[in-house]
Structure formats: structure tokens, C-alpha cells
Coordinates of all heavy atoms in Angstrom, one line a residue:
M1 N 0.8 -1.2 0.0 CA 0.0 0.0 0.0 C 0.9 1.2 0.0 O 1.8 1.4 0.8 CB -0.9 0.0 1.2 CG -1.7 1.2 1.5 SD -2.9 1.2 2.8 CE -2.0 0.4 4.1
K2 N 0.6 2.2 -0.9 CA 1.4 3.4 -1.0 C 0.6 4.5 -0.4 O -0.6 4.7 -0.6 CB 1.7 3.7 -2.5 CG 2.5 2.7 -3.1 CD 2.7 3.1 -4.6 CE 3.6 2.0 -5.3 NZ 3.8 2.4 -6.7
I3 N 1.2 5.4 0.4 CA 0.6 6.5 1.1 C 1.3 7.8 0.7 O 2.5 7.9 0.6 CB 0.7 6.3 2.7 CG1 0.1 5.0 3.2 CG2 0.2 7.5 3.4 CD1 -1.4 4.9 3.0
F4 N 0.4 8.8 0.5 CA 0.9 10.1 0.2 C 0.5 11.1 1.3 O -0.7 11.1 1.6 CB 0.3 10.6 -1.2 CG 0.7 12.0 -1.5 CD1 2.0 12.3 -2.0 CD2 -0.2 13.1 -1.4 CE1 2.4 13.6 -2.4 CE2 0.2 14.4 -1.8 CZ 1.5 14.6 -2.2
I5 N 1.4 11.8 1.9 CA 1.1 12.7 3.0 C 1.4 14.1 2.4 O 2.6 14.4 2.0 CB 1.9 12.4 4.2 CG1 1.5 11.1 4.8 CG2 1.7 13.5 5.3 CD1 2.5 10.6 5.9
S6 N 0.5 15.0 2.5 CA 0.7 16.4 2.1 C 0.6 17.2 3.4 O -0.5 17.3 4.0 CB -0.3 16.9 1.1 OG -0.1 18.2 0.7
A7 N 1.7 17.9 3.8 CA 1.7 18.6 5.1 C 1.9 20.1 4.9 O 2.7 20.6 4.2 CB 2.9 18.0 5.9
D8 N 1.0 20.8 5.6 CA 1.1 22.3 5.6 C 1.3 22.7 7.1 O 0.8 22.0 8.0 CB -0.2 22.9 5.0 CG 0.0 24.3 4.6 OD1 0.9 25.0 5.1 OD2 -0.9 24.8 3.9
I9 N 2.0 23.8 7.3 CA 2.3 24.2 8.7 C 1.0 24.6 9.4 O 0.9 24.4 10.6 CB 3.4 25.2 8.7 CG1 4.3 25.1 10.0 CG2 2.9 26.6 8.5 CD1 5.6 25.8 9.9
E10 N 0.1 25.3 8.7 CA -1.2 25.6 9.4 C -1.9 24.3 9.6 O -2.0 23.5 8.8 CB -2.0 26.5 8.5 CG -1.5 27.9 8.3 CD -0.5 28.1 7.2 OE1 -0.4 27.2 6.4 OE2 0.0 29.2 7.0
G11 N -2.4 24.2 10.8 CA -3.2 23.0 11.2 C -2.4 22.0 12.0 O -2.9 21.1 12.6
V12 N -1.1 22.3 12.1 CA -0.2 21.4 12.9 C -0.5 21.7 14.4 O -0.7 22.9 14.8 CB 1.3 21.7 12.6 CG1 2.2 21.0 13.7 CG2 1.6 21.1 11.2
A13 N -0.6 20.7 15.2 CA -0.9 21.0 16.7 C 0.2 21.9 17.3 O 1.4 21.7 17.1 CB -0.9 19.6 17.4
G14 N -0.2 22.9 17.9 CA 0.7 23.9 18.5 C 1.0 25.1 17.7 O 1.6 26.0 18.2
V15 N 0.7 25.0 16.4 CA 0.9 26.2 15.5 C -0.3 27.1 15.6 O -1.4 26.7 15.1 CB 1.2 25.7 14.1 CG1 1.3 26.9 13.1 CG2 2.5 24.9 14.0
V16 N -0.2 28.2 16.3 CA -1.4 29.0 16.7 C -1.2 30.5 16.5 O -2.2 31.2 16.6 CB -1.7 28.7 18.2 CG1 -2.1 27.3 18.4 CG2 -0.6 29.1 19.1
I17 N -0.1 31.0 16.1 CA 0.1 32.4 15.9 C 0.7 32.7 14.5 O 1.4 31.8 14.0 CB 1.0 33.1 17.0 CG1 2.3 32.4 17.1 CG2 0.2 33.0 18.3 CD1 3.3 33.0 18.1
P18 N 0.5 33.8 13.9 CA 1.1 34.1 12.6 C 2.6 33.9 12.5 O 3.1 33.5 11.5 CB 0.7 35.6 12.4 CG -0.5 35.8 13.2 CD -0.3 35.0 14.4
Q19 N 3.3 34.2 13.6 CA 4.8 34.0 13.5 C 5.2 32.6 13.3 O 6.3 32.3 12.7 CB 5.4 34.5 14.8 CG 5.3 36.0 15.0 CD 4.0 36.4 15.6 OE1 3.1 35.6 15.8 NE2 3.9 37.7 15.9
H20 N 4.4 31.6 13.6 CA 4.7 30.2 13.4 C 4.8 29.9 11.9 O 5.6 29.0 11.5 CB 3.6 29.3 14.0 CG 3.7 29.2 15.5 ND1 2.6 29.1 16.3 CD2 4.8 29.1 16.3 CE1 3.0 29.0 17.5 NE2 4.3 29.0 17.6
G21 N 4.2 30.7 11.0 CA 4.2 30.4 9.6 C 5.1 31.3 8.8 O 5.2 31.3 7.6
A22 N 5.8 32.2 9.5 CA 6.7 33.2 8.9 C 8.1 33.0 9.2 O 8.6 33.1 10.3 CB 6.2 34.6 9.3
P23 N 8.9 32.7 8.1 CA 10.4 32.4 8.3 C 11.1 33.6 9.0 O 10.6 34.8 8.8 CB 10.9 32.2 6.9 CG 9.7 31.7 6.2 CD 8.5 32.5 6.8
G24 N 12.2 33.3 9.6 CA 13.0 34.4 10.2 C 12.8 34.7 11.6 O 13.3 35.8 12.1
N25 N 12.2 33.8 12.4 CA 12.0 34.1 13.8 C 12.0 32.7 14.6 O 11.8 31.7 14.0 CB 10.8 34.9 14.1 CG 9.5 34.1 13.8 OD1 9.1 33.3 14.7 ND2 8.9 34.3 12.7
P26 N 12.3 32.8 15.9 CA 12.4 31.5 16.6 C 11.1 30.7 16.6 O 11.1 29.5 16.7 CB 12.8 32.0 18.0 CG 13.4 33.3 17.9 CD 12.7 33.9 16.6
E27 N 9.9 31.4 16.6 CA 8.7 30.7 16.6 C 8.5 29.9 15.3 O 7.9 28.8 15.3 CB 7.5 31.7 16.8 CG 7.4 32.2 18.2 CD 7.2 31.1 19.2 OE1 6.4 30.2 19.0 OE2 7.9 31.3 20.3
Y28 N 9.0 30.4 14.2 CA 8.9 29.6 12.9 C 9.7 28.4 13.0 O 9.3 27.3 12.6 CB 9.4 30.5 11.8 CG 9.5 29.7 10.5 CD1 8.5 29.2 9.8 CD2 10.8 29.5 10.0 CE1 8.6 28.5 8.6 CE2 11.0 28.8 8.8 CZ 9.9 28.3 8.1 OH 10.1 27.6 6.9
E29 N 10.9 28.5 13.6 CA 11.8 27.3 13.8 C 11.1 26.3 14.7 O 11.2 25.1 14.4 CB 13.1 27.7 14.3 CG 13.9 28.5 13.3 CD 14.1 27.9 11.9 OE1 14.3 26.7 11.8 OE2 13.9 28.6 11.0
R30 N 10.4 26.7 15.7 CA 9.7 25.8 16.6 C 8.6 25.1 15.8 O 8.3 23.9 15.9 CB 9.1 26.6 17.8 CG 8.3 25.7 18.7 CD 7.8 26.6 19.9 NE 7.1 25.8 20.9 CZ 5.8 25.5 20.8 NH1 5.1 25.9 19.8 NH2 5.2 24.7 21.7
A31 N 7.8 25.9 15.0 CA 6.8 25.3 14.2 C 7.3 24.3 13.2 O 6.6 23.3 12.9 CB 6.0 26.4 13.5
R32 N 8.4 24.5 12.6 CA 9.0 23.5 11.7 C 9.3 22.2 12.4 O 9.0 21.1 11.9 CB 10.4 24.1 11.1 CG 10.2 25.2 10.2 CD 11.6 25.7 9.7 NE 12.1 24.7 8.8 CZ 13.4 24.6 8.4 NH1 14.3 25.4 9.0 NH2 13.7 23.8 7.5
R33 N 9.8 22.3 13.6 CA 10.0 21.1 14.4 C 8.7 20.3 14.7 O 8.6 19.1 14.6 CB 10.8 21.4 15.7 CG 12.3 21.6 15.5 CD 13.1 21.7 16.8 NE 12.6 22.7 17.7 CZ 12.8 24.0 17.7 NH1 13.5 24.5 16.7 NH2 12.3 24.8 18.6
L34 N 7.7 21.1 15.1 CA 6.4 20.5 15.4 C 5.8 19.9 14.1 O 5.3 18.8 14.2 CB 5.4 21.6 15.9 CG 5.7 22.2 17.3 CD1 4.8 23.3 17.6 CD2 5.5 21.1 18.4
M35 N 5.9 20.5 13.0 CA 5.4 20.0 11.7 C 6.2 18.7 11.4 O 5.5 17.7 11.0 CB 5.7 21.0 10.6 CG 5.2 20.6 9.3 SD 5.5 21.9 8.1 CE 4.9 21.2 6.6
T36 N 7.5 18.7 11.6 CA 8.2 17.5 11.3 C 7.9 16.3 12.2 O 7.7 15.2 11.8 CB 9.7 17.8 11.3 OG1 10.1 18.8 10.4 CG2 10.6 16.5 11.0
Q37 N 7.7 16.6 13.5 CA 7.3 15.6 14.4 C 5.9 15.0 14.1 O 5.7 13.8 14.2 CB 7.3 16.2 15.9 CG 8.7 16.5 16.3 CD 8.7 17.3 17.6 OE1 7.7 17.8 18.1 NE2 9.9 17.5 18.2
E38 N 5.0 15.9 13.7 CA 3.6 15.4 13.4 C 3.6 14.6 12.1 O 3.0 13.5 12.1 CB 2.7 16.6 13.2 CG 1.2 16.2 13.3 CD 0.4 17.4 13.5 OE1 0.3 17.9 14.6 OE2 -0.3 17.9 12.5
V39 N 4.4 15.0 11.1 CA 4.5 14.1 9.9 C 5.2 12.8 10.3 O 4.8 11.8 9.8 CB 5.3 14.9 8.8 CG1 5.7 14.0 7.7 CG2 4.5 16.1 8.3
N40 N 6.2 12.8 11.1 CA 6.8 11.5 11.6 C 5.8 10.6 12.2 O 5.8 9.4 12.0 CB 8.0 11.8 12.5 CG 9.2 12.1 11.8 OD1 9.4 11.8 10.6 ND2 10.2 12.8 12.4
A41 N 4.9 11.2 13.0 CA 3.8 10.3 13.6 C 2.9 9.7 12.6 O 2.5 8.6 12.6 CB 3.0 11.2 14.6
A42 N 2.6 10.5 11.5 CA 1.7 10.0 10.4 C 2.5 8.9 9.7 O 1.9 7.9 9.3 CB 1.3 11.2 9.5
I43 N 3.8 9.1 9.4 CA 4.6 8.1 8.7 C 4.6 6.8 9.5 O 4.4 5.7 9.0 CB 6.0 8.6 8.5 CG1 6.0 9.8 7.5 CG2 6.9 7.5 8.0 CD1 7.3 10.6 7.5
A44 N 4.8 6.9 10.8 CA 4.9 5.7 11.7 C 3.5 5.0 11.6 O 3.5 3.8 11.5 CB 5.3 6.1 13.1
G45 N 2.5 5.8 11.7 CA 1.1 5.2 11.7 C 0.8 4.5 10.4 O 0.2 3.4 10.3
A46 N 1.3 5.1 9.3 CA 1.1 4.5 8.0 C 1.8 3.2 7.9 O 1.2 2.2 7.4 CB 1.6 5.5 6.9
F47 N 3.1 3.1 8.3 CA 3.8 1.9 8.2 C 3.2 0.8 9.2 O 3.1 -0.4 8.8 CB 5.3 2.1 8.5 CG 6.0 2.6 7.3 CD1 6.5 3.9 7.2 CD2 6.2 1.8 6.1 CE1 7.2 4.3 6.1 CE2 6.9 2.2 5.0 CZ 7.4 3.5 5.0
E48 N 2.8 1.2 10.3 CA 2.2 0.3 11.3 C 0.9 -0.2 10.7 O 0.5 -1.4 11.0 CB 1.9 1.0 12.6 CG 3.2 1.2 13.4 CD 3.0 2.0 14.6 OE1 1.9 2.2 15.1 OE2 4.0 2.6 15.1
G49 N 0.2 0.5 9.9 CA -1.0 0.1 9.3 C -0.9 -0.7 8.0 O -1.9 -1.0 7.3
G50 N 0.4 -0.9 7.6 CA 0.6 -1.8 6.4 C 1.2 -1.1 5.2 O 1.3 -1.8 4.1
A51 N 1.5 0.2 5.3 CA 2.1 0.8 4.1 C 3.4 0.2 3.7 O 4.2 -0.2 4.6 CB 2.3 2.3 4.4
T52 N 3.6 0.2 2.4 CA 4.9 -0.3 1.9 C 5.8 0.9 1.4 O 7.0 0.7 1.4 CB 4.7 -1.3 0.8 OG1 3.9 -0.6 -0.2 CG2 4.0 -2.6 1.3
E53 N 5.1 2.0 1.1 CA 5.8 3.2 0.7 C 5.1 4.4 1.2 O 3.9 4.4 1.2 CB 5.9 3.3 -0.8 CG 6.7 2.2 -1.5 CD 6.6 2.4 -3.0 OE1 6.7 3.6 -3.5 OE2 6.5 1.4 -3.7
V54 N 5.9 5.4 1.6 CA 5.3 6.7 2.1 C 6.0 7.8 1.4 O 7.2 7.9 1.4 CB 5.3 6.9 3.6 CG1 4.8 8.3 4.0 CG2 4.5 5.8 4.3
L55 N 5.2 8.7 0.7 CA 5.8 9.9 0.1 C 5.2 11.1 0.8 O 4.0 11.2 0.9 CB 5.4 9.9 -1.4 CG 5.8 11.1 -2.3 CD1 7.3 11.2 -2.3 CD2 5.2 11.0 -3.7
V56 N 6.1 12.0 1.2 CA 5.7 13.2 1.9 C 5.9 14.4 1.1 O 7.0 14.6 0.5 CB 6.4 13.3 3.3 CG1 6.1 14.6 4.0 CG2 6.2 12.1 4.1
N57 N 4.9 15.3 1.0 CA 5.1 16.6 0.3 C 5.0 17.7 1.3 O 4.0 17.8 2.0 CB 4.0 16.7 -0.8 CG 4.2 18.0 -1.6 OD1 5.3 18.2 -2.2 ND2 3.2 18.8 -1.6
D58 N 6.0 18.6 1.3 CA 5.9 19.8 2.1 C 5.1 20.8 1.3 O 5.5 21.2 0.3 CB 7.4 20.3 2.4 CG 7.4 21.5 3.3 OD1 6.4 22.3 3.3 OD2 8.4 21.7 3.9
S59 N 3.9 21.2 1.8 CA 3.0 22.0 1.1 C 2.8 23.4 1.6 O 1.9 24.1 1.2 CB 1.6 21.3 1.1 OG 1.7 20.1 0.4
H60 N 3.7 23.9 2.5 CA 3.6 25.2 3.0 C 4.6 26.2 2.2 O 5.8 25.9 2.2 CB 4.0 25.3 4.5 CG 3.9 26.6 5.1 ND1 2.7 27.3 5.3 CD2 4.8 27.5 5.4 CE1 2.9 28.4 5.8 NE2 4.2 28.6 5.9
G61 N 4.0 27.2 1.6 CA 4.8 28.3 1.0 C 5.7 27.7 -0.1 O 5.3 26.9 -0.9
P62 N 7.0 28.0 0.1 CA 8.0 27.5 -0.9 C 8.4 26.0 -0.7 O 9.3 25.5 -1.4 CB 9.2 28.4 -0.7 CG 9.1 28.9 0.7 CD 7.6 28.9 1.0
M63 N 7.7 25.4 0.2 CA 7.9 23.9 0.4 C 9.3 23.5 0.9 O 9.8 22.5 0.5 CB 7.5 23.2 -0.9 CG 6.1 23.4 -1.4 SD 5.8 22.9 -3.0 CE 6.2 21.2 -3.0
V64 N 9.8 24.3 1.9 CA 11.1 24.0 2.5 C 11.0 24.2 4.0 O 11.9 24.7 4.6 CB 12.2 24.9 1.9 CG1 12.5 24.5 0.5 CG2 11.9 26.4 2.0
N65 N 10.0 23.6 4.6 CA 9.7 23.8 6.0 C 10.0 22.6 6.8 O 10.5 22.7 7.9 CB 8.2 24.2 6.2 CG 7.9 25.4 5.3 OD1 8.2 26.5 5.7 ND2 7.2 25.1 4.2
L66 N 9.8 21.4 6.3 CA 10.1 20.2 7.0 C 11.6 20.0 7.2 O 12.4 20.5 6.3 CB 9.5 18.9 6.3 CG 8.0 18.8 6.3 CD1 7.6 17.7 5.3 CD2 7.6 18.4 7.7
L67 N 12.0 19.4 8.2 CA 13.4 19.2 8.5 C 13.9 17.9 8.0 O 13.6 16.9 8.7 CB 13.7 19.4 10.0 CG 13.2 20.7 10.6 CD1 13.3 20.7 12.1 CD2 14.0 21.9 10.1
P68 N 14.5 17.8 6.8 CA 14.8 16.5 6.2 C 15.6 15.6 7.1 O 15.4 14.4 7.2 CB 15.5 16.8 4.9 CG 15.2 18.3 4.7 CD 14.9 18.9 6.0
E69 N 16.6 16.2 7.9 CA 17.5 15.4 8.7 C 16.7 14.8 9.9 O 17.3 13.8 10.5 CB 18.7 16.2 9.2 CG 18.3 17.4 10.1 CD 17.9 18.7 9.3 OE1 17.7 18.7 8.1 OE2 17.6 19.7 10.0
E70 N 15.5 15.3 10.2 CA 14.8 14.7 11.3 C 13.6 13.9 10.9 O 12.8 13.3 11.7 CB 14.3 15.9 12.2 CG 15.4 16.6 12.9 CD 14.9 17.7 13.8 OE1 13.7 17.7 14.2 OE2 15.8 18.6 14.2
L71 N 13.4 13.8 9.5 CA 12.2 13.0 9.0 C 12.5 11.5 9.0 O 13.7 11.1 8.8 CB 11.9 13.5 7.6 CG 10.6 13.0 7.1 CD1 9.5 13.8 7.7 CD2 10.5 13.2 5.6
D72 N 11.5 10.8 9.4 CA 11.6 9.3 9.4 C 12.3 8.8 8.0 O 11.7 9.1 7.0 CB 10.2 8.7 9.5 CG 10.2 7.2 9.7 OD1 11.0 6.5 9.0 OD2 9.4 6.7 10.5
P73 N 13.4 8.1 8.1 CA 14.1 7.8 6.9 C 13.4 6.8 6.0 O 13.8 6.6 4.8 CB 15.4 7.2 7.4 CG 15.1 6.7 8.7 CD 14.1 7.7 9.3
R74 N 12.3 6.2 6.5 CA 11.5 5.2 5.7 C 10.7 5.9 4.6 O 10.3 5.3 3.6 CB 10.6 4.4 6.5 CG 11.3 3.5 7.5 CD 10.4 2.8 8.4 NE 9.7 3.7 9.3 CZ 8.8 3.4 10.2 NH1 8.4 2.1 10.3 NH2 8.2 4.3 11.0
A75 N 10.5 7.3 4.8 CA 9.7 8.0 3.9 C 10.5 8.7 2.8 O 11.7 9.1 3.1 CB 8.8 9.0 4.6
E76 N 9.9 9.0 1.7 CA 10.6 9.8 0.6 C 9.9 11.2 0.8 O 8.8 11.3 1.0 CB 10.3 9.2 -0.7 CG 11.0 9.9 -1.8 CD 10.8 9.2 -3.2 OE1 10.4 8.1 -3.2 OE2 11.1 9.9 -4.2
L77 N 10.8 12.2 0.6 CA 10.3 13.6 0.8 C 10.5 14.4 -0.5 O 11.5 14.4 -1.2 CB 11.2 14.3 1.9 CG 10.9 15.7 2.2 CD1 9.5 16.0 2.7 CD2 11.9 16.2 3.3
I78 N 9.4 15.2 -0.8 CA 9.4 16.2 -1.9 C 9.5 17.6 -1.2 O 8.7 18.0 -0.4 CB 8.1 16.2 -2.7 CG1 7.9 14.8 -3.3 CG2 8.1 17.3 -3.7 CD1 6.5 14.6 -3.9
L79 N 10.6 18.3 -1.6 CA 10.9 19.6 -1.1 C 11.0 20.6 -2.2 O 11.5 20.2 -3.3 CB 12.2 19.7 -0.3 CG 12.2 19.2 1.2 CD1 13.6 19.2 1.7 CD2 11.2 20.0 2.1
G80 N 10.7 21.9 -1.9 CA 10.9 22.9 -2.9 C 9.8 23.0 -4.0 O 9.2 22.0 -4.3
C81 N 9.7 24.2 -4.5 CA 8.7 24.4 -5.6 C 9.2 23.9 -6.9 O 10.3 23.9 -7.3 CB 8.4 25.9 -5.8 SG 7.9 26.7 -4.3

């Protein structure tokens, strides 16, 4: 089973103020970590549910928000426009 995850920073648990979605401040960096952690939870759930492949698309702005070095290595990641 192949799973596609499209992740946007708005809607991530804990992302609640405009600064979370705007690069160039500590709150944005915090939101990037939260987004990556939430995507990792979805990846883990997909594999536990029987997925054989997981493809993740960073869908916020220029699509460079997820932290590739912290992403579950079982998933493939699409970054950038």
C-alpha cells in the first residue's frame, strides 16, 4: 500500500500564531520542528497500518519547511517548488 502525505504548517498541533508560519524568527523554527514531528507520527502510523511506501510533500509556501534530517528515513520527501 502506498501512502501520500501532504503537510502544511497551518493546522499542525501547537501552531497557533502568525509568527509560526513566517520564516526568520524563533517561533517559525519551533513550528518547523512541530510539523516534522507530526509528519513523523503520520509516517509511523502508515507503516504500522501496512504501508509499503510513504511519500511526503511539504506543502507550505516555498515547500522548504520540514526538517529532512529529522524526518523518518523510511519516507521519501518532496521539497521545494
Side-chain angles (χ1 to χ4, degrees):
M1 172 173 43
K2 297 179 182 181
I3 302 294
F4 178 76
I5 297 170
S6 180
D8 197 343
I9 211 162
E10 289 90 6
V12 169
V15 173
V16 296
I17 58 176
Q19 292 84 355
H20 283 144
N25 70 81
E27 288 300 319
Y28 170 69
E29 294 306 318
R30 181 175 182 276
R32 292 179 73 199
R33 285 191 304 280
L34 291 171
M35 181 181 179
T36 303
Q37 291 168 352
E38 196 163 285
V39 168
N40 278 338
I43 293 167
F47 280 110
E48 288 172 19
T52 55
E53 295 178 40
V54 174
L55 177 62
V56 176
N57 184 58
D58 184 331
S59 298
H60 180 75
M63 301 167 54
V64 292
N65 306 281
L66 288 168
L67 303 170
E69 64 277 6
E70 294 182 18
L71 196 72
D72 187 321
R74 296 175 293 178
E76 187 175 345
L77 176 61
I78 300 170
L79 279 176
C81 303

